[in-house]
Amino acid sequence: MSPYNPHDLELKWLKRWNEVDLYKVDLDRAARPFYNLMEFPYPSGEGLHVGHFYTYSGADTYGRYQRMIGHDVFQPMGFDAFGIHGENYALKIGQNPALVMPRNMTRFREEQIKRIGAAFDWSREVDTTNPRYYKWTQWIFIQLFKAGLAYRARSLVNWCPKDLTVLADEQVIDGKCERCGSEVIKRDLEQWFFKITAYAERLLDHSKADFTETTRTLQRNWIGRSAGAEVKFSVISDQSSANKDSLITVYTTRPDTLWGATFMVLAPEHPLVGKITTSDRKIEVETYVAAAARETEFERQAVARDKTGVFTGAYAVNPVNGERLPIWIADYVLMSYGTGAIMAVPAHDQRDFEFARKFDLPIKVVVQPRDRQLDSATMIEAWPGDGVMINSGPIDGVSTEQSVASAVEWLEQNNVGKKSVRYRLRDWLISRQRYWGPPIPMIYCEQDGWQPVPEDQLPVLLPMTDNFRPTGTGQSPLASIPEFANTTCPVCGHAARRETDVSDNFLDSAWYFLRYLSTEFDDRAWDKERARKWLPVTHYMGGIEHSTLHHLYARFIWKAMVDLGQLPPEVGEEPFQQLRLHGWVLRDGAKMSKSRGNVVNPDEYVRQYGADVMRAQMLFAGSYTEGGDFHDAAISGVVRFYRRIWGWVTEPSAVSLQPSAAGEMKARRAVHKAIKRLSEDLPALGFNTAIAALMETLNTLRECRVSLHVHNAVARLYVLILAPLAPFLAEELWAQLGGPFSVHQQAWPKYDSTLVVDELMTIPIQVNGKLRHRIEVPANAGED
């Protein structure tokens, strides 16, 4: 036989699979629907990266196994082609992204993704930049607006000075833009938001889906639920009487420490700062506010940073005891968290303690630990721990285990506060001041305000223009195109203007899995009957880095569409039955990055070794859900393994001389044990252990002296269980063994339970605790 030549045989089978539409699924007639979804890529200029290959290799292996055990597996693919990633590449090469992205998508599809050999149904491809797609992205926006879940508001927003656009909170990592790494600043802009906070409690509930604990924890921490109390403090700005028009609302998780508050702190951006600052403090306060505006949130939150602040000259009245508290502003308090105002309890909060010590403000102990006495004059740090309440009026003597509940009860009884639940989660900022995205389908009329574009006028097409570069002014380039921006009001017919911002591309990807099911329809975003049949998604695979971005947004859009009756209630509360996110792919122990020069280009490896080898090398590197380390040296091991499989299957004469009954039984036992192991490992995403089992089994099989008939029978079983992991090699070997086309349409073999039990077992013999010998006895031997 010819030697193993992965390049030629892989191209041969790619052509054959494509000719017969091997992986195309009849969505309406499928008997056992199994929706196997994986994250679709940004077709950026850099091409398909190793993370994509890792995702698709594992998810495709899982999907192929599900097909072989009898499911009708729908495995679609498409392109998340709007957004900053692609636009920045187009800007870099000086071309309109509308020209660049189609070329990128063609290269991704034809030269890279198809070359992997994954079982994608390309007849259902989606492209988020196609008007047939983004018509429905705009439609979803309008449904949310009509339901009061989309609104426009002026707010301090995250601004990336390099990408020249606003970012959602989820797109800011450690104070930096998650795309380009630039330090994010704050700007005061009017923007569109989605009211994702209205779904915070439901997003915290993961009981209706199978998510890993890591994913649950990441989302819970991001949503950040906390229970406490809301308390209002009246303001004395002339130092003589309370100003009832100026109330400071404070949210605190420790209302029991209200009696220990000795001053108040407002964020520099708090809207009351200008109103309550006394005339003699005005210049100093304005100077401080301007300086704070130049800082990033990340800088302001630094724990070790020296505390700074300015006294406003005004006072607040503590509603629990009537004490006057000086009101300061300080940059360690942020407008984006809580209410932008805190009651400072320096004895029991370290930031407040440091501030009080620096500015010589009072410290009052209200929680006394059980093992010592705190003295405010000699304390060197705050005491945030447990104890017993003191100096706290009605809750004196109450332990901290009960003090919060007691304080809330007292506040409500005396009408000075109320129980409250808050979330770290903020509403989803959807506006982007860029060109490359779906225009937000809203119109502003001086008489009728903001109105949605009539649905029969969708899509609002993104115009082709040479003026596509971001302006940095807070307006999209579309604002400079009069023929786009100028329109008429759909209510009164008078002159009006379009919204010229485009929407965040995370909205495009929040619903793409719904569109896959209905790509042939132009009169609906998705077909409800197909939704009932195929949704929720059976299994979703992707990267852990999207837990608090894409996956959270997708859950929100899904829940809203169900609530609004756009999805049938039978689909349930969650879009994904099972969500599995894999770990990072490392290179020699380090995370891949351009700066380190250690990024793996999968194309080079596929050209040299074949897609099957690249696939196995990555899946064998470690636990799929934890990630693995990519070593060049490991490639050669996989190549040798596949060559040994090739030689063993195609040259059976070496093992068929002088066959023995013992050898044939040993071969049967080995392959049936392998079937059992892979039947357990593959559904559990244990790809590395499955490959190890195949390697061990091959070593055993190559030793066995069997007849040609037995060899072919055992080889067929072996190739069948190899097929999900090495689809090209298995297809070729299956054909050479005379199997019907295609190996990927065959049933998963069942193991013989009598053959997976060892005939012999090894028993160690110990004398006085020391190993002296080992003996082999029949596995069914009795105790005697």
Side-chain angles (χ1 to χ4, degrees), residues 749-760:
K750 297 183 183 299
Y751 63 85
D752 186 333
S753 59
T754 64
L755 295 178
V756 299
V757 178
D758 288 325
E759 288 184 298
L760 298 176

Side-chain angles (χ1 to χ4, degrees), residues 370-606:
R370 294 180 175 88
D371 59 348
R372 57 189 146 126
Q373 291 289 110
L374 295 180
D375 182 353
S376 61
T378 59
M379 289 175 69
I380 60 173
E381 62 181 357
W383 170 255
D386 296 333
V388 177
M389 303 306 300
I390 63 171
N391 301 320
S392 298
I395 62 170
D396 267 359
V398 177
S399 70
T400 49
E401 287 79 10
Q402 289 87 37
S403 58
V404 171
S406 298
V408 171
E409 183 180 0
W410 186 88
L411 290 171
E412 292 184 332
Q413 287 176 349
N414 289 272
N415 295 317
V416 294
K418 61 181 180 179
K419 185 177 181 179
S420 179
V421 173
R422 292 289 177 101
Y423 304 91
R424 179 179 179 270
L425 180 70
R426 293 292 174 264
D427 280 341
W428 178 4
L429 175 56
I430 204 74
S431 303
R432 294 296 178 269
Q433 293 71 39
R434 302 278 291 211
Y435 165 71
W436 193 234
I440 292 176
M442 299 297 295
I443 294 172
Y444 182 74
C445 171
E446 291 290 346
Q447 178 175 316
D448 296 300
W450 284 102
Q451 297 294 328
V453 172
E455 292 181 20
D456 61 3
Q457 295 179 21
L458 296 178
V460 178
L461 293 172
L462 182 67
M464 188 69 178
T465 177
D466 292 331
N467 187 19
F468 57 84
R469 291 166 180 80
T471 65
T473 63
Q475 284 193 316
S476 160
L478 296 179
S480 64
I481 306 175
E483 56 270 30
F484 175 82
N486 298 330
T487 187
T488 56
C489 173
V491 176
C492 67
H494 294 155
R497 63 177 176 84
R498 292 190 188 279
E499 172 58 76
T500 54
D501 283 354
V502 299
S503 60
D504 180 13
N505 71 302
F506 275 107
L507 175 57
D508 306 331
S509 61
W511 73 280
Y512 75 108
F513 54 93
L514 293 165
R515 186 59 181 169
Y516 278 139
L517 296 169
S518 302
T519 51
E520 73 268 43
F521 298 119
D522 287 325
D523 62 342
R524 69 205 88 161
W526 49 79
D527 183 76
K528 289 188 177 181
E529 283 305 312
R530 285 192 185 157
R532 288 186 180 94
K533 185 181 184 74
W534 286 92
L535 295 173
V537 170
T538 318
H539 183 88
Y540 194 13
M541 195 89 82
I544 193 70
E545 67 274 16
H546 293 140
S547 292
T548 56
L549 287 159
H550 161 61
H551 299 120
L552 200 62
Y553 293 151
R555 294 179 65 215
F556 161 64
I557 293 295
W558 172 278
K559 292 173 191 293
M561 291 298 102
V562 172
D563 289 352
L564 298 178
Q566 301 298 345
L567 279 170
E570 300 94 313
V571 300
E573 179 73 4
E574 295 289 346
F576 318 122
Q577 283 184 32
Q578 187 177 67
L579 177 64
R580 289 293 179 267
L581 305 180
H582 61 70
W584 292 101
V585 182
L586 307 177
R587 181 83 182 269
D588 298 324
K591 185 179 175 182
M592 293 185 197
S593 70
K594 290 181 182 177
S595 61
R596 290 193 180 99
N598 65 347
V599 175
V600 171
N601 181 350
D603 295 0
E604 297 173 6
Y605 289 87
V606 170

